[in-house]
Amino acid sequence: MRQSDRDAVEDPRREGEGPFAPAPTGRPVLVVDNVFKAYGPIPVLDGVSLSVGKGAIHGLLGKNGAGKSTLSNVVAGFTRADAGDVLLDGEDVSSLTLTARKKRGLHLLSQHSEIFEDLSIGENLLLPNLPRRHGLVDWAALHRQAGLLLESHAMHASSRRRAGDLNASDRRRLAIIRAVAGDTKLIILDEPTAGLAARERQHLMEWIEALTARGTSFVYISHHNDEVRQLCSEYTVLRDGKVAASGGAGSLSADGMARLITGSDVKEFRRVGAAAPKPPVVQIAGLCFPGGGPIDLTIGRGEIVGLVGLLGEGPQELLRALGGLLPATCGQVLVDGRPARIGSPAHSLDTGIAYLTHDRIGEGHVASMSIAENLSLGNWPRQAGWAISRSGMLDRVRRARAAMDVVMDGPDQEIRRLSGGNQQKILLGRLLERTPAILLLDEPTIGVDVAAKEHIHRLIDDATKRGVAVLLIAQDPDEMQRLVDRVIVFSKGRIERSLSAEGLTVDAIADAKSLREKP
Amino acid sequence: MNGRKFLLDNVVWILIIVFSLLAGVLNPFFLSEGNLQNVLVQATTLGVLVLAVSFTLLIGEIDLSVVGNLVFSGMIGAYAMQEYGAHWTVAVAVTVLTGTLIGAVNGYFVSYMRMNSLIATLAMGLFLQGAVLGATQARTLVIADEGYAYIGSATIGTWPIMPVALFVIYLAAHVVLAYSAWGRNLYATGGNRRAAHAAGINVRRARLGAFAASGFLAGLAGFLYASYLGGVSVTVGSTTLLYAVAAPVIGGVSLLGGRGRVLGMLGGTLLITVIQTGLQLINVSAYYIQMIGGAMILLAIAVDAFRVRGEEQGSV
């Protein structure tokens, strides 16, 4: 018999007792005991305990800022906890260094898969212990060993290939095999499926599951609740640095899980699109760019058009070309009937085309600058022509705060201190301050918690009510289905077909994607 | 925690005080009014060079041609007076303009031709110093013009007015870097170039601008130095460039770009000047001064690394 998740909420420290004994076989591989960690006055981990059974996949859930990353850093040894212990196979590793913990078989794989792109797959697998003969690298032995490793982990690639040429999911596999290769006890996977297409996600998940047969345990961090429900045998939900619930994963419904994560009911936003035909705002005529074209597309006032296609097959490239981040080699773009200059982001923004990147850290915010400055970046409110108007910046922060419910200490706080969802709201706010004719949204809710995701959906919908047109890319077919008025399917850089109102089901969108995934 | 952060952020001022007191104990003259004047005068040329380097550090690049630029633009100004009989105000304008142009050329190399700034400006600096060496045959160009030499030699009461230039220039730099759109674009470009570009900032122009500003300041330093010495000599101390790069880092300017305050740059300048003059006054053999200077810089930068490590835990 299992306890309902409601009981789990009320008594967060139930793990390890009765029906919640988390280790299916013998004693747990990992025990985290009452860990505290604070940055400044704010506690990030406030007495967190959990245990992971041998051969188990332990789902770690929580909003951004709930403490998942800090907890994995404490476990892996990137940071020391202020109090509390980390036990690996019964041994207290709390005071050991990162390297020492790795030697004992404890690994953390972050979202940015850690591979050496310019080295071969074989070198990637065997570093830092390359086989040697007479002090020099023994290449024959290296590729023999690496080949065996690849084979035994069901990864089909030559060990001589350059690792950087692998696709996204094989990179993740490579990183995981690298970690599993030694005498590995536990691997923490931080969003291993981020950025992968649905079918690839599924394959990767099945592959990970197969690895547990060798007795390796996993801590699996994901924003995709369905992944956790499918893959994990046990789970822990963190909220505000505390364990909100834990137990066997089978007992949880999707709703229950979302409720545990946010601490309140999240109502999914569903857009009600206007049926009436819309006057065109943006007309794209014969537009070519590296990786695609020519593209003809007209987007109407207040319309949300979803773009579907594999990575590198056109959708992202179209958005980047329109946003001025890729050169347009032929064709033209009309905004409100006037030809638009799209040679650089500055030009695109000036003509009312606003692009929101999927790469928040690399291309979105300037981490060392304040919230107020990031909100006004490239569009400074000026006084006397040259100086930045402080009051103008503060006005914008006030507006963003009111409209978007951004949680912050103040306008001068560094933006990197905010959660992913709040950072994303600031970036969206920066674009909205320019009152664009069209928003180009490339994964607007990537790495964002459930509550912020719904909020961002609502903000996008609100913008369309003011007449803003939207081109949207979203990995999640469900998210896309709830937002868009029609969908354009890309194949090999060209528009292949479109799905309009009646054909717009989640399955149809998912199918449109998976069709493209066949070789 | 915040107290610790405050301490680390202002470590340069603490070091200045500690070192001054130490030097004052060993030689009371160090804490006299006369020596304070001396320190500030010495700090003026270095301080302006430090600003010049800092402008390029803020965008994550570096300008190693500032010393070469200083002597070259100083020489052009001196020639303008000697050969063409230019009025000293014209000569000052020519000096500063020469510096700015050289900076703009550096900026074009780095920003538009994508040359590596470390190597490009190093080569530019060698070229300029070599050009001065060749043109002057290593002779000192004497500047007799009283107007040109005024700022470097005039006093109000017993106080030289040269440090006034230092503080005015630093104040102007602070206003530009902290309050102007142009200045904030430099920080944004240095903090995250791709994000600045995507936000609509003209990153190439900002980067060229940072080098032009660096050249402008190097030219200004060229004028101040020539005015102070009453001439132009190719033999600027070989350690000047090292100090001009070290001082901003000591003052908390990040070598990776995007971080650094003008007050810190001033602190770095003063600390280095205090160490130099202090060591001379406590009769440390001249042969050891460079060694001790190097050790002090290492110490200050170690503190900086410690500060950064506190912020970015877990990075390698």
Side-chain angles (χ1 to χ4, degrees), chain B residues 34 42 52 57 70 80 86 88 101 124 156 177 183 226-227 233 275-276:
Chain B
Q42 299 286 333
L57 290 180
L70 174 149
W88 71 269
L101 278 175
M124 177 63 91
I156 296 173
L177 287 178
S227 175
S233 159
I275 291 170
Q276 277 181 313

Side-chain angles (χ1 to χ4, degrees), chain A residues 79 361-362 365 373 380 386 388, chain B residues 179 181 184-185 192 195 197 313:
Chain A
T79 20
I361 294 167
H365 64 237
E373 290 193 303
W380 306 108
W386 63 273
I388 294 171
Chain B
Y179 299 104
R184 297 320 287 173
N185 283 348
N192 186 341
H197 176 61
Q313 295 199 13

Side-chain angles (χ1 to χ4, degrees), chain A residues 349-390:
Chain A
L349 286 163
D350 285 346
T351 46
I353 302 173
Y355 170 79
L356 181 68
T357 180
H358 62 97
D359 183 6
R360 189 161 59 229
I361 294 167
E363 199 177 48
H365 64 237
V366 179
S368 52
M369 294 182 102
S370 69
I371 291 166
E373 290 193 303
N374 270 287
L375 193 57
S376 290
L377 201 68
N379 183 28
W380 306 108
R382 300 197 184 213
Q383 58 189 29
W386 63 273
I388 294 171
S389 158
R390 168 98 182 146

Side-chain angles (χ1 to χ4, degrees), chain A residues 387-453:
Chain A
I388 294 171
S389 158
R390 168 98 182 146
S391 64
M393 287 208 299
L394 293 182
D395 280 347
R396 290 181 186 181
V397 174
R398 220 169 291 128
R399 272 201 294 277
R401 236 174 156 163
M404 313 201 191
D405 191 26
V406 184
V407 183
M408 60 169 96
D409 290 353
D412 295 323
Q413 192 184 9
E414 284 187 3
I415 193 165
R416 65 199 175 109
R417 305 275 174 217
L418 294 185
S419 71
N422 285 315
Q423 290 178 3
Q424 195 73 348
K425 287 178 194 169
I426 296 291
L427 295 187
L428 188 60
R430 182 204 289 168
L431 299 180
L432 291 174
E433 276 295 335
R434 290 186 179 250
T435 56
I438 183 167
L439 278 171
L440 315 172
L441 305 176
D442 190 352
E443 297 283 357
T445 59
I446 196 167
V448 159
D449 66 75
V450 185
K453 189 167 170 174

Side-chain angles (χ1 to χ4, degrees), chain B residues 118-162:
Chain B
L118 186 85
I119 307 297
T121 59
L122 184 67
M124 177 63 91
L126 286 173
F127 171 83
L128 293 171
Q129 256 180 325
V132 175
L133 199 61
T136 61
Q137 298 292 305
R139 284 188 297 267
T140 299
L141 299 176
V142 179
I143 293 173
D145 190 288
E146 280 180 16
Y148 196 96
Y150 176 80
I151 201 160
S153 53
T155 53
I156 296 173
T158 61
W159 277 84
I161 64 164
M162 186 124 138

